[in-house]
Amino acid sequence: MEVVFLSSEVVPFAKTGGLADVGRALPDALAAAGIKVNVFMPLYGVVESKKAGIKKIKKLSLRFGGRTYAYEVCGKEEKGVNFYFIKQKIFFDREGIYGSLSGDYPDNASRFIFFQKAVLHSLKSLKIKADVIHLNDWQTALVPKFLSNGQSRVPTVLTVHNLAYQGEYDAKSAKYAGLKKSEMLYGSRFNSLAYGISGATAVTTVSPTYAKEMKTKKFGCGLEYFLKKRGPYFKGILNGLDYGLWNPSSDKAIAASYSATSPEGKEKCKKALQKEMGLPQTDAMLVSFVGRLAMQKGMDIMVPALQRLISGKIQFVMLGTGDVHYHRVLSVLAKRFPKNFALRLDFDDDMAHRIYAGSDLFLMPSQYEPCGLGQMIAFSYGAVPVVNKVGGLMDTVSEYSLHRKTGTGFLLEDYSSAALEKALRKAMGIYGKRSRFRELSARCMRQRFSWQKSALKYIRLYNKLIDESGAPPLRPLRKP
Ligand code: ADP
């Protein structure tokens, strides 16, 4: 079986979030299970091609929006996976992936439509015969539309990593996708993700609970109708974690190695983190956050809860970039409480490793969370997660019980700063009983979310779709 896998970001070449981790780990796991995988992504200016050993393979050209564009396919092979990069100066040779500090690039629609068309266009020259095409998020969600134009029967799987990002654009951009006026959704606009959800042979998302939530008005972001219509062809498959990358016993970025059975190094990592962040090297409970500074991640409840909790007994470390409003608010807090609150407004993978390793607790009080990698990484490093009861967080974290000695974290009763404060106070209580807390941290380290298991579920789905591919094509998209 040969799979073509499209992702707008892939570790280690370009990353803004969890999609990049999945874009790497799932193809690796599929290849390990004997599937031939060809991963395609754009070659952005930020990709360090030379360092990564990416080589030019083919020079091609494509008619697009009334012009002819020259582009190159570059590539490299790693661990049995073929990585291909679409190199096109005008669209991709920029510092950012989706935008700059002043916001999203205004031509993102044409950039990613070009990417999708170029991938399909290049397959023949590369002599790739896809049995399945696996798509990820809105940046790749129009592929079923382009395939159906060519009457292709290749099954497609669209994985939705975050329903809130839909790639909705105006009529001007629709012409690049070749959409007619009658095919527009939402009046004069078109919605890439809605097309993908309706047109892909099957749709998946990254956890079973998020799959259920997505069909509700509360979490459906206006697309619940399209998802409900997909019946059994829409389901949740939990992401795994790449334990080759996220493992305190082999991590070169952290101060000392450790594991569940010999956890001594964790204390050294905490001291090193406190020193790096300019925090006093006390045994205060160290709570961290690594992620996008966005509403989704619970910023609005985190800020007031942190303000109420900041004292000598607790230290906060935050690493992230995002909404400038939160950059400002958090910078004020960091200035006011230099001994308890360290902030780094940056994207720094090595620092993220050091933070996970040096923390006692990890904050993830997200409003919604499709799967979440942060809590899985935190588990691996023995940082106990504090999470909201949504999406993948529900599928991975269970409430700690001192009495029964079970559970792997602290869950918020509801989405509020009071509930977050309460959960953190409970955690502080357990932290006070140090042997109990160490037991809990070791239990976290022993959690395993295997990509192998998830990859097998995807393979089962691919096989089912290949078997059924003689079936008549899906019904065309209709507006609710
Ligand atoms: P998202 O919704 O952003 O995809 P996830 O929890 O699924 O959230 O994945 C976030 C990934 O991005 C994790 O690997 C996390 O360590 C990483 N990450 C997020 N922000 C930063 C940052 N500022 N610096 C380094 N790594 C980051």
Side-chain angles (χ1 to χ4, degrees):
M1 187 196 298
E2 184 155 6
V3 176
V4 166
F5 190 96
L6 278 74
S7 178
S8 58
E9 40 184 290
V10 177
V11 159
F13 311 112
K15 167 168 172 172
T16 68
L19 170 62
D21 295 278
V22 180
R24 177 54 187 252
L26 177 55
D28 279 354
L30 291 169
I35 308 285
K36 188 160 184 214
V37 193
N38 307 288
V39 178
F40 284 81
M41 68 170 274
L43 193 69
Y44 307 106
V46 283
V47 179
E48 296 182 75
S49 302
K50 263 204 192 121
K51 202 170 142 200
I54 297 167
K55 303 238 157 63
K56 190 163 106 186
I57 296 178
K58 273 237 166 330
K59 238 179 150 163
L60 297 163
S61 63
L62 177 65
R63 278 300 284 173
F64 182 71
R67 274 183 61 183
T68 301
Y69 288 84
Y71 74 97
E72 279 175 19
V73 183
C74 303
K76 73 167 294 187
E77 191 257 283
E78 228 174 84
K79 283 204 246 163
V81 179
N82 296 317
F83 293 95
Y84 293 104
F85 302 83
I86 301 295
K87 181 174 179 182
Q88 211 296 324
K89 215 172 159 111
I90 300 168
F91 292 122
F92 305 123
D93 192 11
R94 307 178 188 180
E95 273 307 302
I97 297 178
Y98 308 117
S100 62
L101 272 180
S102 41
D104 280 355
Y105 293 132
D107 59 346
N108 273 347
S110 49
R111 292 174 76 222
F112 289 103
I113 292 169
F114 181 85
F115 168 61
Q116 296 170 77
K117 290 201 162 180
V119 172
L120 296 180
H121 178 251
S122 67
L123 291 181
K124 206 169 163 196
S125 320
L126 296 170
K127 297 193 174 63
I128 295 173
K129 204 201 141 295
D131 296 302
V132 174
I133 302 185
H134 192 142
L135 312 165
N136 293 281
D137 279 351
W138 71 264
Q139 295 89 345
T140 61
L142 287 166
V143 164
K145 164 90 196 137
F146 303 147
L147 282 175
S148 70
N149 291 346
Q151 301 304 313
S152 167
R153 283 258 167 112
V154 181
T156 49
V157 174
L158 169 68
T159 300
V160 179
H161 298 260
N162 193 331
L163 194 57
Y165 298 89
Q166 302 182 355
E168 194 178 305
Y169 294 104
D170 58 15
K172 227 170 86 202
S173 313
K175 78 165 196 268
Y176 293 107
L179 295 175
K180 297 184 207 88
K181 253 204 165 136
S182 59
E183 289 179 302
M184 302 289 261
L185 294 161
Y186 308 115
S188 62
R189 296 176 73 77
F190 80 97
N191 182 308
S192 314
L193 200 62
Y195 275 98
I197 288 171
S198 306
T201 322
V203 180
T204 67
T205 189
V206 289
S207 71
T209 298
Y210 191 52
K212 278 188 214 140
E213 291 171 346
M214 282 162 86
K215 287 185 271 189
T216 65
K217 201 163 183 270
K218 185 172 173 196
F219 293 99
C221 303
L223 299 185
E224 57 275 16
Y225 165 85
F226 296 103
L227 289 159
K228 274 194 268 186
K229 262 190 81 174
R230 296 309 316 266
Y233 288 88
F234 168 50
K235 64 175 183 172
I237 298 177
L238 191 70
N239 280 343
L241 183 68
D242 184 342
Y243 291 94
L245 284 179
W246 299 106
N247 195 332
S249 64
S250 55
D251 193 331
K252 297 273 179 299
I254 63 177
S257 39
Y258 62 91
S259 65
T261 46
S262 60
E264 303 75 30
K266 185 157 175 70
E267 195 51 38
K268 271 198 195 144
C269 292
K270 178 171 174 177
K271 291 274 177 296
L273 179 64
Q274 288 171 317
K275 189 164 174 218
E276 177 180 357
M277 295 289 158
L279 296 170
Q281 289 177 300
T282 64
D283 76 341
M285 183 172 85
L286 200 154
V287 184
S288 66
F289 171 87
V290 176
R292 288 180 291 116
L293 304 180
M295 269 283 260
Q296 181 207 334
K297 298 292 173 184
M299 285 298 133
D300 56 333
I301 64 167
M302 226 186 281
V303 173
L306 298 198
Q307 268 172 321
R308 287 198 294 270
L309 280 161
I310 283 187
S311 74
K313 289 192 196 122
I314 196 164
Q315 294 178 340
F316 291 104
V317 172
M318 286 183 81
L319 167 66
T321 55
D323 199 326
V324 280
H325 166 70
Y326 295 117
H327 283 215
R328 256 184 254 124
V329 172
L330 293 167
S331 299
V332 171
L333 270 184
K335 265 212 182 105
R336 262 178 56 204
F337 302 101
K339 291 209 164 88
N340 299 82
F341 186 59
L343 174 69
R344 297 291 182 272
L345 298 171
D346 196 2
F347 193 98
D348 184 332
D349 190 49
D350 277 355
M351 189 184 288
H353 283 248
R354 298 194 292 274
I355 294 177
Y356 289 111
S359 308
D360 298 306
L361 288 155
F362 187 75
L363 282 180
M364 232 164 139
S366 311
Q367 260 178 0
Y368 70 94
E369 194 57 72
C371 175
L373 286 179
Q375 82 283 15
M376 295 194 202
I377 302 171
F379 274 146
S380 181
Y381 286 81
V384 181
V386 179
V387 306
N388 192 19
K389 277 194 263 183
V390 286
L393 299 171
M394 283 260 272
D395 294 332
T396 51
V397 185
S398 56
E399 178 68 22
Y400 175 70
S401 157
L402 177 64
H403 178 61
R404 277 184 263 125
K405 294 192 193 145
T406 55
T408 53
F410 300 96
L411 273 63
L412 274 61
E413 278 165 12
D414 54 48
Y415 183 76
S416 67
S417 66
L420 176 57
E421 187 182 341
K422 192 172 167 193
L424 279 168
R425 289 202 189 277
K426 178 176 174 189
M428 264 168 119
I430 311 298
Y431 184 74
K433 308 179 196 343
R434 208 51 54 88
S435 64
R436 288 281 177 266
F437 193 83
R438 289 205 183 104
E439 226 172 73
L440 168 59
S441 167
R443 183 154 59 246
C444 289
M445 284 189 238
R446 284 194 297 270
Q447 301 298 305
R448 280 291 173 269
F449 301 94
S450 132
W451 263 118
Q452 266 60 48
K453 233 166 97 184
S454 312
L456 285 180
K457 291 187 180 160
Y458 280 107
I459 294 170
R460 235 174 273 141
L461 176 65
Y462 297 159
N463 277 323
K464 173 175 143 74
L465 301 182
I466 291 169
D467 283 350
E468 292 173 357
S469 60
L474 288 159
R475 280 198 289 152
L477 182 73
R478 219 170 281 135
K479 216 180 148 182

